[in-house]
Amino acid sequence: MIEGKPTIHLNTFLGKRAAEIHVSNHCNLNCIGCSHFSPLVKESFLEANQYREDMMSIPSNIRAYFSEIRLLGGEPLLNHEISEIIQITRETFKQASVVLVTNGICIPNMNDSFWESCSENRVTIGITEYPIQFDYSKIKSIIKNHDVNWFVYADRCGKGQFQKRPLSLKSQEKSNKNFFDCVFTKEWSCMQIVGTKLYYCPTCAYVRYFSEFFGLDIRCDEYLDLKKVKDIEEIAFFLLAVKEFCKYCALDRIENVDWEPSRQKMTEWM
């Protein structure tokens, strides 16, 4: 318990939550207005040795809080150390479900060690389908033939649309109102672990890529360093605290847009 603050019964209030980890920050598809800013990132990978060191530095009771770990990006299968990263994830998040979220393009080229790692470490592959010239039925067959669980994580092929979450560069939005209106507050299902830092949402975690690419001065320093956390209640209080960074989100302009490749234009995120 944190002294001077009310007790929060996590089992009834927060429960356990999902966290996402970037295995690769760049992508081989690069969707317009990507909420993780992947089209703006040069080749950038999670390094297995550093990943192991970071995860082992987080107390085991804090790691046990997360009931689901999603390995994604960017496109995670671009990382040549993906098999080892999967193994490290299972070793450090022993009871969590592990989902590898991929666009599937690299699936036909994955080697035996990848499939063995998925099987041995109880990984489920989540496929996001896009309206591109690609045989998704083929990759589903490949996954089945390797006896690995899978599901369609997201289907962009129907209407070919996804949600655009615009930024407000003038930072004139009301942080308090945005925080409580945001879907991330209602679900707490898209927390991001970057190194040992826990961010509230992908916009907070990766806006630096947008800022650097367009020469802006937007950053988010509102995170929780998990290696310093001793009690799960600290995570609860972090999640419940209004984030000043929320002033950069234009929630009233969220809309569904047609899918297409990114042209790396600022307007894609505006």
Side-chain angles (χ1 to χ4, degrees):
M1 181 188 302
I2 301 176
E3 186 176 353
K5 294 188 177 181
T7 300
I8 290 180
H9 299 287
L10 293 180
N11 288 337
T12 57
F13 185 70
L14 286 181
K16 292 190 175 182
R17 298 293 171 182
E20 300 180 340
I21 297 172
H22 270 202
V23 177
S24 168
N25 292 312
H26 64 292
C27 190
N28 55 359
L29 194 52
N30 293 321
C31 307
I32 185 172
C34 171
S35 62
H36 290 231
F37 306 103
S38 294
L40 307 178
V41 184
K42 295 181 180 179
E43 187 173 278
S44 173
F45 298 106
L46 178 66
E47 296 181 359
N49 288 338
Q50 185 63 53
Y51 178 51
R52 184 189 298 277
E53 180 180 331
D54 287 339
M55 294 305 100
M56 291 304 295
S57 72
I58 299 173
S60 58
N61 65 313
I62 302 304
R63 282 185 267 127
Y65 168 72
F66 299 101
S67 58
E68 179 173 293
I69 298 296
R70 302 185 195 123
L71 301 176
L72 39 68
E75 172 49 48
L77 298 187
L78 295 176
N79 192 321
H80 297 301
E81 294 185 303
I82 183 63
S83 301
E84 186 174 356
I85 288 170
I86 288 172
Q87 181 180 350
I88 294 168
T89 304
R90 175 51 66 211
E91 290 173 355
T92 52
F93 297 94
K94 297 183 184 300
Q95 302 303 318
S97 62
V98 178
V99 179
L100 176 67
V101 181
T102 173
N103 59 36
I105 293 174
C106 294
I107 287 288
N109 302 319
M110 301 310 292
N111 58 30
D112 290 341
S113 64
F114 167 76
W115 295 111
E116 290 169 3
S117 187
C118 286
S119 180
E120 293 172 0
N121 294 292
R122 309 189 308 281
V123 168
T124 298
I125 295 179
I127 303 170
T128 301
E129 299 183 353
Y130 293 90
I132 58 177
Q133 294 298 315
F134 186 70
D135 188 352
Y136 283 104
S137 62
K138 177 181 178 180
I139 66 168
K140 291 172 186 176
S141 295
I142 293 173
I143 298 171
K144 289 178 183 178
N145 289 339
H146 286 92
D147 199 27
V148 172
N149 292 329
W150 68 276
F151 69 106
V152 175
Y153 183 80
D155 183 358
R156 313 295 190 199
C157 292
K159 294 182 179 179
Q161 292 187 326
F162 63 99
Q163 191 178 75
K164 176 181 178 179
R165 302 178 63 85
L167 294 173
S168 174
L169 297 191
K170 295 182 180 180
S171 67
Q172 295 177 340
E173 307 297 325
K174 296 180 179 179
S175 294
N176 190 70
K177 184 178 187 302
N178 271 1
F179 179 79
F180 290 108
D181 287 348
C182 183
V183 67
F184 294 133
T185 306
K186 296 177 175 64
E187 298 178 357
W188 283 300
S189 60
C190 288
M191 293 181 284
Q192 307 292 312
I193 297 178
V194 183
T196 62
K197 298 174 181 178
L198 180 72
Y199 288 89
Y200 175 74
C201 71
T203 310
C204 293
Y206 308 114
V207 70
R208 66 185 185 277
Y209 295 129
F210 175 86
S211 185
E212 291 168 2
F213 189 89
F214 294 110
L216 304 174
D217 187 24
I218 302 174
R219 55 186 294 172
C220 179
D221 294 322
E222 294 169 293
Y223 59 82
L224 188 67
D225 193 341
L226 294 176
K227 69 181 178 184
K228 299 179 180 179
V229 175
K230 296 180 174 60
D231 194 300
I232 291 175
E233 284 191 351
E234 292 182 54
I235 299 177
F237 289 120
F238 168 72
L239 293 176
L240 288 168
V242 173
K243 307 297 183 292
E244 179 68 17
F245 181 81
C246 294
K247 66 186 179 182
Y248 287 107
C249 290
L251 296 187
D252 60 332
R253 293 194 285 110
I254 290 177
E255 62 178 329
N256 289 331
V257 298
D258 292 335
W259 183 90
E260 60 179 299
S262 172
R263 295 182 176 83
Q264 297 180 318
K265 301 294 185 182
M266 187 184 292
T267 53
E268 296 176 22
W269 290 272
M270 299 293 295

